Amino acid sequence: MTQPATHAAHEHGHDHGHDEHDDGAHGSVGSYTIGFLLSVVLTAIPFWLIMAKVIPNSGTAAFVVLAFAVVQIVVHMVYFLHMNTKSEGGWNMLALIFTLVLVVILLAGSLWVMHHLNVNMMPMAPHDMRNMP
């Protein structure tokens, strides 16, 4: 017996545009659990460092907390947003790098402007006023 033409046409691998292979693009319960646990640890450690005053210098403490924040951003992007160099042919990573460059330029420029405004716009000390012509 011969099969109907419609059935024979659909037996060729079933690749109708569906991406059926499991490359971990959508994550699993295990990867979400790892991401969650890393996020909790990366929040708890800086909280403890500040509350227990482990680092006495405030500048160093701020740098350490910011470093933990950057690591946590990467954890969120990898484990929850599933961003890697292979997703979307690398365009996601390129867009992320472009965004980070813009944010760094914006923040650095803003801090530079605020610093120079602070230095140049502060009222003069009394001993500076005596030296004015």
Side-chain angles (χ1 to χ4, degrees):
M1 278 206 185
T2 61
Q3 296 178 349
T6 58
H7 183 65
H10 289 288
E11 280 200 28
H12 64 278
H14 298 283
D15 286 344
H16 300 284
H18 301 290
D19 196 10
E20 304 238 351
H21 65 284
D22 184 22
D23 60 354
H26 295 292
S28 65
V29 174
S31 69
Y32 285 123
T33 304
I34 291 171
F36 175 73
L37 292 175
L38 283 173
S39 296
V40 168
V41 168
L42 291 170
T43 301
I45 291 174
F47 185 79
W48 169 74
L49 288 173
I50 298 301
M51 294 305 290
K53 297 182 182 183
V54 175
I55 303 172
N57 185 353
S58 63
T60 306
F63 181 74
V64 169
V65 169
L66 286 175
F68 273 99
V70 169
V71 172
Q72 191 168 108
I73 289 170
V74 171
V75 166
H76 283 239
M77 288 186 326
V78 170
Y79 286 97
F80 300 121
L81 297 177
H82 312 294
M83 292 184 77
N84 56 31
T85 56
K86 297 176 185 139
S87 63
E88 301 290 328
W91 286 105
N92 277 349
M93 193 58 62
L94 185 63
L96 173 70
I97 291 169
F98 179 70
T99 302
L100 290 176
V101 167
L102 286 179
V103 166
V104 167
I105 290 171
L106 180 76
L107 289 175
S110 297
L111 290 173
W112 180 74
V113 167
M114 288 188 287
H115 170 73
H116 284 282
L117 283 174
N118 184 39
V119 169
N120 295 322
M121 300 297 287
M122 291 301 292
M124 286 198 256
H127 68 279
D128 290 334
M129 286 185 192
R130 282 184 259 141
N131 297 333
M132 291 197 59

